[in-house]
Amino acid sequence: TLPVTDKENNKKQGNVISITGSRWRVFPLPMFLMIPLTLIALVLLGSGGDNLRVTNGVQGDDGAFYVLGTEPNQGQLNVKLKWSAPLYAILKLNRLDQGRSSTIDTQREAAADKATVQDYGQAQKISYELGSKFFGGGIKTDVRFVPMKTDGMVQIMDGQNPLNLMPGKEPIGEDKIDVFTQDATIEMKRGQTRTLTFRNLTRTGRIDGQTIVAWTVRQPQGFKVADFLVKQGDNQVINPNASVFAKITVDEDNLPPDGEAVWEILTTDAKYQLLRIKLRLVE
């Protein structure tokens, strides 16, 4: 525009100009609406959990947790779970048992459940799934159960001699649950085969016959075990007054790191709840 220089203002009574103003926003909505919407989005998008685990169990190589009995012939075993999650997360915990799903009550980042033990637990597995209340899916962990059925009814022979075992008792898991342990060390040479005999002493004399079940939770890396079920999730059944044999050799194609490895076994016998056999490679 040009400044008005005419004294008579070009016969006009006054000058008028139109001004249009605009305001720039970071968000398309006012802040009093954006703040609650942002909080809702955080809850919906960030409500997942992490590191779901069983604090009163032993975790195997397969990632599953094994909960051990603390008294003979318990009909139920406790399962204690914990996880990590943001403070604003709204989560749900489901128990999956033989195709049936049920909701477990939670307290912040923890929960407790009771599972009914079926027989010797060998075919039993329960899963727990943690996820958002608003979306399906989530993280899952598997739980297996090792009840206490016999006491001192296992005999382990190394060839023709009893395996030299060191008994003990120590806490396991985050909750420090006391279990009975047996530790042994076996020295092996390349090309050598060592045979361990696991005998069930029940149904001998006047002792009632009972099955004994054993789970391998940690395989000995660098060694091979034959004729004994060591695959994760499988279990070895030892029938009353019967024996099973484990043939151990050095894995020539995959020698043990640091020259030794531990074979960890859980059993339904109270004296042998956690059996650890250290295999050591010697020249």
Side-chain angles (χ1 to χ4, degrees), residues 185-192 194 223 250 252 255-256 258-261 278-283:
T185 299
I186 296 178
E187 294 184 344
M188 303 227 13
K189 296 181 179 180
R190 298 177 68 168
Q192 180 185 19
R194 297 285 287 269
F223 297 89
V250 177
E252 299 289 346
L255 294 178
D258 302 323
E260 61 184 31
K278 179 181 291 185
L279 302 173
R280 181 177 295 156
L281 180 61
V282 296
E283 297 299 331

Side-chain angles (χ1 to χ4, degrees), residues 70-92:
T70 56
E71 298 176 6
N73 298 311
Q74 288 173 291
Q76 290 184 322
L77 293 181
N78 295 322
V79 181
K80 297 183 179 181
L81 302 111
K82 284 187 178 180
W83 57 87
S84 302
L87 292 176
Y88 47 78
I90 301 177
L91 304 174
K92 63 178 179 181

Side-chain angles (χ1 to χ4, degrees), residues 119-184:
D119 298 326
Y120 290 82
Q122 62 261 47
Q124 188 175 7
K125 181 182 74 172
I126 292 179
S127 299
Y128 294 89
E129 187 175 49
L130 181 72
S132 167
K133 280 191 175 182
F134 307 102
F135 299 100
I139 56 175
K140 186 172 71 172
T141 191
D142 296 328
V143 183
R144 295 183 178 273
F145 302 94
V146 187
M148 190 185 293
K149 292 291 188 178
T150 59
D151 189 1
M153 291 291 103
V154 177
Q155 182 185 46
I156 306 177
M157 303 289 292
D158 180 9
Q160 300 299 318
N161 303 309
L163 182 62
N164 186 20
L165 294 165
M166 181 176 294
K169 191 175 183 181
E170 65 181 58
I172 62 165
E174 293 181 42
D175 291 348
K176 306 301 181 183
I177 305 299
D178 284 337
V179 301
F180 293 98
T181 61
Q182 297 281 351
D183 288 88

